[in-house]
Amino acid sequence: MTTNLAPEADWDLAPNVLEGARELRLSPEQCDLDYWITNVAQGTLTGLVNGHRPDAVTPDYMLKPGPLRDALLFEFSFRSIAEDKAARAITSLVQNAPDVKSMEFYATQLIDEARHAQAFRAHMVEVGVPEAELDEVIEEYAGEHQRNVLDPLEEFGLTVMNGPHAFVSGVAVLTILVEGVLAPTGELSEHKWKIVDPAAASVERGAGIDEIRHLTVGSEIVKRHLERDPSLKEHLTDVVRRGNELWTKLPVLAVLQRREQLFQEGIQQIADVIGDHEIWAGRRLLDTTPDERIATALQWSAETQITRLAYMGMGE
């Protein structure tokens, strides 16, 4: 990896999402355009192929029809749509940024999210989806869940970003209700795909390195706005409350259950490959259940949100 790289951008040294969310402190001044060019474009991304390390290879069994391939296509279809929507929404933050450094940071995050969407799609091609049929396959696997989950979230976010205190409200939605919820599920995906499909896990690792930066800088921006104008707290608390209420009404659990059930069926078919591999310390992947993995992802999301809210000054 490139020397003199910021540790949080180094593929081998960067913490995982949960550690980064708890411990890392970054600002828009630190993560401006020069930072991104040096540490991300010329650092994190160096040598990647389709969003993953070149030594991360997809096993032949992932190319064959079956529940494991379906689980991957289901997950990466959903993730590609989510990242695409995030990139488009961030244009509002670029437009409304109150200073140059914040504008530069969100311009780089826009590129990051577009790259993530591209990497998820590229890996779908690697497992045998013809590039000309990508849109059709993504619709097949995730179209219903886009309309039931992602579209309502997008509508809520865009409403907030066009309402009172548009910039900081948009940052809060993105940091707390989108990145803060979805990034930990990506963390779990990296762990579960690590031995099953190393290339998929590597794509998740690359996205996770970026999400740490997005979470920490977004938190710092909200924190500063609240310090300058404490009266914003009531408004931002209401935004977070309404966003969390929306999450509880959406069929998110159905998305996770379908994904994890397919994955469960698939790993039973390659139990000899997985062996004693642990998804996290002390827990064999083969011994986990869909419900356990879902509960763990939701717990990680809750912990990340609590940590970020406390740092921003909205802990209560």
Side-chain angles (χ1 to χ4, degrees), residues 1 10 36 49 92 103 108 136 160 165 184 208 244 246 254 288 312:
M1 185 57 69
D10 188 296
W36 188 88
V49 177
S92 176
M103 182 276 290
T108 66
E136 180 181 338
V160 170
H165 311 291
N244 279 329
L246 175 60
T288 62
M312 296 173 191

Side-chain angles (χ1 to χ4, degrees), residues 19-309:
E19 292 171 350
R22 293 189 185 104
E23 303 170 7
L24 202 59
R25 301 290 180 264
L26 294 171
S27 69
E29 291 80 16
Q30 289 173 277
C31 298
D32 61 5
L33 191 55
D34 285 339
Y35 171 100
W36 188 88
I37 292 170
T38 300
N39 292 282
V40 182
Q42 298 174 350
T44 309
L45 304 182
T46 300
L48 298 190
V49 177
N50 292 329
H52 61 78
R53 298 289 287 270
D55 57 348
V57 179
T58 294
D60 288 342
Y61 56 72
M62 290 299 302
L63 308 180
K64 300 176 182 177
L68 205 54
R69 184 172 180 271
D70 284 339
L72 179 80
L73 294 179
F74 185 97
E75 180 174 343
F76 276 33
S77 292
F78 186 85
R79 293 291 302 279
S80 70
I81 297 171
E83 300 284 2
D84 181 275
K85 286 182 177 294
R88 295 173 188 275
I90 290 171
T91 59
S92 176
L93 299 182
V94 174
Q95 181 179 11
N96 292 324
D99 56 79
V100 171
K101 293 302 181 181
S102 295
M103 182 276 290
E104 288 186 357
F105 171 73
Y106 280 108
T108 66
Q109 183 171 344
L110 191 159
I111 295 295
D112 289 338
E113 309 296 5
R115 286 192 301 101
H116 298 167
Q118 179 190 45
F120 289 124
R121 293 194 301 268
H123 189 55
M124 293 173 66
V125 174
E126 288 182 325
V127 298
V129 176
E131 192 163 0
E133 298 175 13
L134 261 177
D135 289 345
E136 180 181 338
V137 170
I138 290 172
E139 168 62 27
E140 176 187 351
Y141 280 89
E144 177 184 356
H145 298 300
Q146 171 190 335
R147 290 181 282 277
N148 292 339
V149 176
L150 295 177
D151 286 354
L153 280 173
E154 179 182 42
E155 182 179 355
F156 173 77
L158 292 177
T159 299
V160 170
M161 290 178 180
N162 288 292
H165 311 291
F167 176 72
V168 68
S169 298
V171 173
V173 167
L174 191 64
T175 304
I176 302 168
L177 299 171
V178 180
E179 303 265 351
V181 174
L182 296 180
T185 66
E187 175 85 13
L188 180 66
S189 290
E190 179 189 346
H191 288 293
K192 78 179 192 182
W193 288 111
K194 193 167 187 178
I195 193 170
V196 177
D197 182 356
S202 188
V203 169
E204 294 283 11
R205 169 63 172 168
I209 290 173
D210 291 333
E211 304 300 3
I212 293 170
R213 184 170 64 257
H214 303 163
L215 281 168
T216 53
V217 175
S219 298
E220 179 65 23
I221 289 173
V222 174
K223 179 175 182 287
R224 290 181 181 181
H225 274 76
L226 285 170
E227 288 173 344
R228 287 194 297 265
D229 184 1
S231 68
L232 282 171
K233 187 173 181 178
E234 182 178 356
H235 168 72
L236 293 180
T237 299
D238 181 63
V239 168
V240 173
R241 177 190 59 77
R242 289 188 288 122
N244 279 329
E245 287 178 355
L246 175 60
W247 268 111
T248 65
K249 296 174 182 177
L250 299 176
V252 178
L253 194 58
V255 177
L256 297 176
Q257 287 174 332
R258 178 58 178 156
R259 182 184 79 184
E260 293 305 323
Q261 187 57 49
L262 287 167
F263 184 78
Q264 190 75 14
E265 294 172 17
I267 60 176
Q268 299 305 318
Q269 296 177 357
I270 58 164
D272 57 327
V273 174
I274 297 173
D276 291 329
H277 174 75
E278 294 184 349
I279 187 171
W280 53 76
R283 188 62 170 155
R284 292 197 331 152
L285 173 59
L286 285 173
D287 293 335
T288 62
T289 65
D291 286 344
E292 181 182 2
R293 293 192 297 273
I294 291 169
T296 300
L298 295 177
Q299 177 186 341
W300 289 354
S301 294
E303 291 173 357
T304 301
Q305 186 177 97
I306 290 169
T307 301
R308 292 290 91 193
L309 285 169

